[in-house]
Amino acid sequence: MVENLPAENTMILQNSIDALFHSGMHRLTLRAVAVLLLLCYNAEPPWTMASLSVKLGIPQGATSYALDRLAAEGLLRRVPHPSDGRVRLALLTQSGRGLCRKLVTASKAPERA
C-alpha cells in the first residue's frame, strides 16, 4: 500500500503521520491512517467500505477494522446509505474534519532533516 505511493506523496504521508502522533492519534493503525487520509484528501462522498477497500487495495475486513478504529476515536461515523439499507457510508465527524485540517497543514510543512 505505502510502497505504491508516488514519491512526492511520501513527504505528505510522513508529515501527516508525524502530525497524528503529536495530536495523540498514535493509537491508529497505518491502515486507519490511510483511510483517514483518503477521506481527508478525497472529498467525493459517499465512501462505502467497498469503495474504500478498492481505492486503497486492502481487504474489506481490514477496511472495516480501520473504520471501527476511526469511529472509536470519534473521527468518523457510519450512516445508512439513502437508497441501500445494506450499505453504510463513512463520514468524517467534526473532530475528524478538524484533524484533517491539521493534517493538510502538516503535509505542507517543509521536509524535516
PDB file of all heavy atoms in Angstrom, residues 89-105:
ATOM      1  N   LEU A  89     -22.257   4.318   4.895  1.00  0.00           N
ATOM      2  CA  LEU A  89     -21.327   5.323   4.377  1.00  0.00           C
ATOM      3  C   LEU A  89     -20.422   5.798   5.501  1.00  0.00           C
ATOM      4  O   LEU A  89     -20.856   5.925   6.642  1.00  0.00           O
ATOM      5  CB  LEU A  89     -22.102   6.518   3.806  1.00  0.00           C
ATOM      6  CG  LEU A  89     -23.124   6.207   2.723  1.00  0.00           C
ATOM      7  CD1 LEU A  89     -23.878   7.471   2.340  1.00  0.00           C
ATOM      8  CD2 LEU A  89     -22.455   5.582   1.527  1.00  0.00           C
ATOM      9  N   ALA A  90     -19.170   6.063   5.182  1.00  0.00           N
ATOM     10  CA  ALA A  90     -18.208   6.585   6.155  1.00  0.00           C
ATOM     11  C   ALA A  90     -18.129   8.096   5.987  1.00  0.00           C
ATOM     12  O   ALA A  90     -17.756   8.586   4.917  1.00  0.00           O
ATOM     13  CB  ALA A  90     -16.832   5.955   5.921  1.00  0.00           C
ATOM     14  N   LEU A  91     -18.491   8.824   7.032  1.00  0.00           N
ATOM     15  CA  LEU A  91     -18.459  10.281   7.007  1.00  0.00           C
ATOM     16  C   LEU A  91     -17.614  10.796   8.155  1.00  0.00           C
ATOM     17  O   LEU A  91     -17.727  10.309   9.286  1.00  0.00           O
ATOM     18  CB  LEU A  91     -19.875  10.854   7.127  1.00  0.00           C
ATOM     19  CG  LEU A  91     -20.870  10.457   6.044  1.00  0.00           C
ATOM     20  CD1 LEU A  91     -22.250  11.014   6.375  1.00  0.00           C
ATOM     21  CD2 LEU A  91     -20.413  10.963   4.691  1.00  0.00           C
ATOM     22  N   LEU A  92     -16.784  11.777   7.876  1.00  0.00           N
ATOM     23  CA  LEU A  92     -15.976  12.379   8.922  1.00  0.00           C
ATOM     24  C   LEU A  92     -16.864  13.161   9.888  1.00  0.00           C
ATOM     25  O   LEU A  92     -17.823  13.817   9.475  1.00  0.00           O
ATOM     26  CB  LEU A  92     -14.931  13.322   8.325  1.00  0.00           C
ATOM     27  CG  LEU A  92     -13.811  12.666   7.532  1.00  0.00           C
ATOM     28  CD1 LEU A  92     -12.981  13.726   6.819  1.00  0.00           C
ATOM     29  CD2 LEU A  92     -12.935  11.820   8.434  1.00  0.00           C
ATOM     30  N   THR A  93     -16.528  13.086  11.170  1.00  0.00           N
ATOM     31  CA  THR A  93     -17.206  13.905  12.170  1.00  0.00           C
ATOM     32  C   THR A  93     -16.547  15.278  12.197  1.00  0.00           C
ATOM     33  O   THR A  93     -15.548  15.520  11.503  1.00  0.00           O
ATOM     34  CB  THR A  93     -17.081  13.271  13.557  1.00  0.00           C
ATOM     35  OG1 THR A  93     -15.691  13.229  13.902  1.00  0.00           O
ATOM     36  CG2 THR A  93     -17.693  11.871  13.610  1.00  0.00           C
ATOM     37  N   GLN A  94     -17.061  16.149  13.022  1.00  0.00           N
ATOM     38  CA  GLN A  94     -16.434  17.470  13.180  1.00  0.00           C
ATOM     39  C   GLN A  94     -14.996  17.304  13.669  1.00  0.00           C
ATOM     40  O   GLN A  94     -14.085  17.977  13.186  1.00  0.00           O
ATOM     41  CB  GLN A  94     -17.240  18.329  14.141  1.00  0.00           C
ATOM     42  CG  GLN A  94     -16.715  19.745  14.264  1.00  0.00           C
ATOM     43  CD  GLN A  94     -17.628  20.627  15.112  1.00  0.00           C
ATOM     44  OE1 GLN A  94     -18.687  20.211  15.561  1.00  0.00           O
ATOM     45  NE2 GLN A  94     -17.200  21.842  15.328  1.00  0.00           N
ATOM     46  N   SER A  95     -14.783  16.390  14.605  1.00  0.00           N
ATOM     47  CA  SER A  95     -13.413  16.125  15.084  1.00  0.00           C
ATOM     48  C   SER A  95     -12.535  15.592  13.972  1.00  0.00           C
ATOM     49  O   SER A  95     -11.361  15.946  13.860  1.00  0.00           O
ATOM     50  CB  SER A  95     -13.433  15.119  16.238  1.00  0.00           C
ATOM     51  OG  SER A  95     -14.096  15.647  17.346  1.00  0.00           O
ATOM     52  N   GLY A  96     -13.095  14.721  13.151  1.00  0.00           N
ATOM     53  CA  GLY A  96     -12.349  14.177  12.017  1.00  0.00           C
ATOM     54  C   GLY A  96     -11.963  15.251  11.022  1.00  0.00           C
ATOM     55  O   GLY A  96     -10.838  15.283  10.517  1.00  0.00           O
ATOM     56  N   ARG A  97     -12.887  16.154  10.740  1.00  0.00           N
ATOM     57  CA  ARG A  97     -12.584  17.251   9.817  1.00  0.00           C
ATOM     58  C   ARG A  97     -11.535  18.191  10.413  1.00  0.00           C
ATOM     59  O   ARG A  97     -10.661  18.694   9.702  1.00  0.00           O
ATOM     60  CB  ARG A  97     -13.860  18.015   9.448  1.00  0.00           C
ATOM     61  CG  ARG A  97     -14.765  17.223   8.512  1.00  0.00           C
ATOM     62  CD  ARG A  97     -15.939  18.044   7.997  1.00  0.00           C
ATOM     63  NE  ARG A  97     -16.797  18.563   9.061  1.00  0.00           N
ATOM     64  CZ  ARG A  97     -17.802  17.896   9.626  1.00  0.00           C
ATOM     65  NH1 ARG A  97     -18.079  16.667   9.217  1.00  0.00           N
ATOM     66  NH2 ARG A  97     -18.535  18.441  10.561  1.00  0.00           N
ATOM     67  N   GLY A  98     -11.598  18.397  11.732  1.00  0.00           N
ATOM     68  CA  GLY A  98     -10.586  19.229  12.390  1.00  0.00           C
ATOM     69  C   GLY A  98      -9.207  18.602  12.296  1.00  0.00           C
ATOM     70  O   GLY A  98      -8.218  19.288  12.023  1.00  0.00           O
ATOM     71  N   LEU A  99      -9.138  17.283  12.497  1.00  0.00           N
ATOM     72  CA  LEU A  99      -7.858  16.590  12.379  1.00  0.00           C
ATOM     73  C   LEU A  99      -7.367  16.648  10.934  1.00  0.00           C
ATOM     74  O   LEU A  99      -6.174  16.830  10.686  1.00  0.00           O
ATOM     75  CB  LEU A  99      -7.971  15.145  12.857  1.00  0.00           C
ATOM     76  CG  LEU A  99      -6.690  14.329  12.839  1.00  0.00           C
ATOM     77  CD1 LEU A  99      -5.572  15.002  13.641  1.00  0.00           C
ATOM     78  CD2 LEU A  99      -6.943  12.933  13.364  1.00  0.00           C
ATOM     79  N   CYS A 100      -8.277  16.548   9.980  1.00  0.00           N
ATOM     80  CA  CYS A 100      -7.890  16.659   8.572  1.00  0.00           C
ATOM     81  C   CYS A 100      -7.256  18.016   8.288  1.00  0.00           C
ATOM     82  O   CYS A 100      -6.263  18.100   7.568  1.00  0.00           O
ATOM     83  CB  CYS A 100      -9.096  16.454   7.658  1.00  0.00           C
ATOM     84  SG  CYS A 100      -9.577  14.736   7.492  1.00  0.00           S
ATOM     85  N   ARG A 101      -7.829  19.062   8.846  1.00  0.00           N
ATOM     86  CA  ARG A 101      -7.234  20.395   8.642  1.00  0.00           C
ATOM     87  C   ARG A 101      -5.803  20.424   9.175  1.00  0.00           C
ATOM     88  O   ARG A 101      -4.905  20.984   8.542  1.00  0.00           O
ATOM     89  CB  ARG A 101      -8.093  21.477   9.293  1.00  0.00           C
ATOM     90  CG  ARG A 101      -9.343  21.811   8.499  1.00  0.00           C
ATOM     91  CD  ARG A 101     -10.071  23.033   9.036  1.00  0.00           C
ATOM     92  NE  ARG A 101     -10.667  22.814  10.344  1.00  0.00           N
ATOM     93  CZ  ARG A 101     -11.849  22.245  10.553  1.00  0.00           C
ATOM     94  NH1 ARG A 101     -12.574  21.837   9.530  1.00  0.00           N
ATOM     95  NH2 ARG A 101     -12.321  22.097  11.767  1.00  0.00           N
ATOM     96  N   LYS A 102      -5.582  19.801  10.339  1.00  0.00           N
ATOM     97  CA  LYS A 102      -4.225  19.734  10.900  1.00  0.00           C
ATOM     98  C   LYS A 102      -3.304  18.935   9.985  1.00  0.00           C
ATOM     99  O   LYS A 102      -2.145  19.295   9.777  1.00  0.00           O
ATOM    100  CB  LYS A 102      -4.242  19.098  12.289  1.00  0.00           C
ATOM    101  CG  LYS A 102      -4.854  19.957  13.349  1.00  0.00           C
ATOM    102  CD  LYS A 102      -4.833  19.228  14.681  1.00  0.00           C
ATOM    103  CE  LYS A 102      -5.568  20.015  15.746  1.00  0.00           C
ATOM    104  NZ  LYS A 102      -5.616  19.280  17.015  1.00  0.00           N
ATOM    105  N   LEU A 103      -3.820  17.842   9.431  1.00  0.00           N
ATOM    106  CA  LEU A 103      -3.011  17.002   8.553  1.00  0.00           C
ATOM    107  C   LEU A 103      -2.660  17.727   7.263  1.00  0.00           C
ATOM    108  O   LEU A 103      -1.540  17.621   6.771  1.00  0.00           O
ATOM    109  CB  LEU A 103      -3.735  15.696   8.240  1.00  0.00           C
ATOM    110  CG  LEU A 103      -3.960  14.765   9.411  1.00  0.00           C
ATOM    111  CD1 LEU A 103      -4.760  13.546   8.974  1.00  0.00           C
ATOM    112  CD2 LEU A 103      -2.659  14.349  10.049  1.00  0.00           C
ATOM    113  N   VAL A 104      -3.623  18.460   6.717  1.00  0.00           N
ATOM    114  CA  VAL A 104      -3.360  19.210   5.493  1.00  0.00           C
ATOM    115  C   VAL A 104      -2.287  20.261   5.757  1.00  0.00           C
ATOM    116  O   VAL A 104      -1.349  20.425   4.974  1.00  0.00           O
ATOM    117  CB  VAL A 104      -4.654  19.857   4.948  1.00  0.00           C
ATOM    118  CG1 VAL A 104      -4.355  20.852   3.845  1.00  0.00           C
ATOM    119  CG2 VAL A 104      -5.603  18.767   4.451  1.00  0.00           C
ATOM    120  N   THR A 105      -2.392  20.955   6.880  1.00  0.00           N
ATOM    121  CA  THR A 105      -1.377  21.950   7.244  1.00  0.00           C
ATOM    122  C   THR A 105      -0.021  21.285   7.420  1.00  0.00           C
ATOM    123  O   THR A 105       0.993  21.772   6.914  1.00  0.00           O
ATOM    124  CB  THR A 105      -1.787  22.685   8.539  1.00  0.00           C
ATOM    125  OG1 THR A 105      -3.035  23.338   8.309  1.00  0.00           O
ATOM    126  CG2 THR A 105      -0.748  23.696   8.942  1.00  0.00           C
TER     127      THR A 105
END
